[in-house]
Amino acid sequence: QLQLVESGGGLVQPGGSLRLSCAASGFQVDAYAIGWFRQAPGKEREGILCISSSGGSTNYADSVKGRFTISRDNAKNTVYLQMNSLKPEDTAIYYCATSLRSYCARVYNYWGQGTQVTVSS
């Protein structure tokens, strides 16, 4: 069965950086599109970035343009979210997900458990 496990979250000061990992099992990360999402308290889940099976990226959130980057290490079967210049508004639980499609679809059906990112001084 497929699994997605996020890690790398934690407490970071404003302006700092974190790299989140999404480790996949049960499938190869270059077989399907993988997306990163986040959910802040009291707010709906927000799409951030997606990487397609071919390696192209799709941005879902204007608020992270120029600060966040999605990447993939096929040998480690892991997708990453590099987050730079972090702001308190980035505080949220971050999730990775796949729709089991090669392209970055609108709907994602398979989710990890999430990892908490807190940006505070």
Side-chain angles (χ1 to χ4, degrees):
Q1 58 183 354
L2 70 87
Q3 291 187 46
L4 295 168
V5 180
E6 302 93 335
S7 63
L11 176 64
V12 63
Q13 293 185 343
S17 298
L18 282 175
R19 188 179 73 164
L20 306 183
S21 298
C22 174
S25 60
F27 71 102
Q28 296 296 314
V29 293
D30 60 349
Y32 304 114
I34 306 292
W36 280 100
F37 303 79
R38 66 186 181 184
Q39 187 166 24
K43 300 182 68 175
E44 293 186 357
R45 188 166 54 214
E46 175 189 31
I48 304 170
L49 285 162
C50 174
I51 185 167
S52 70
S53 177
S54 64
S57 64
T58 298
N59 180 267
Y60 293 130
D62 290 340
S63 62
V64 307
K65 287 183 178 178
R67 299 190 298 122
F68 290 12
T69 304
I70 192 168
S71 62
R72 184 176 68 199
D73 187 329
N74 295 335
K76 296 182 178 179
N77 211 33
T78 299
V79 173
Y80 301 99
L81 182 67
Q82 179 66 47
M83 306 185 295
N84 299 324
S85 301
L86 283 162
K87 305 174 181 179
E89 306 92 272
D90 296 318
T91 296
I93 301 175
Y94 284 71
Y95 301 88
C96 61
T98 183
S99 61
L100 299 185
R101 297 181 182 273
S102 63
Y103 54 90
C104 292
R106 294 181 178 180
V107 178
Y108 294 78
N109 304 116
Y110 304 92
W111 298 81
Q113 84 291 344
T115 185
Q116 176 71 48
V117 173
T118 302
V119 184
S120 177
S121 59

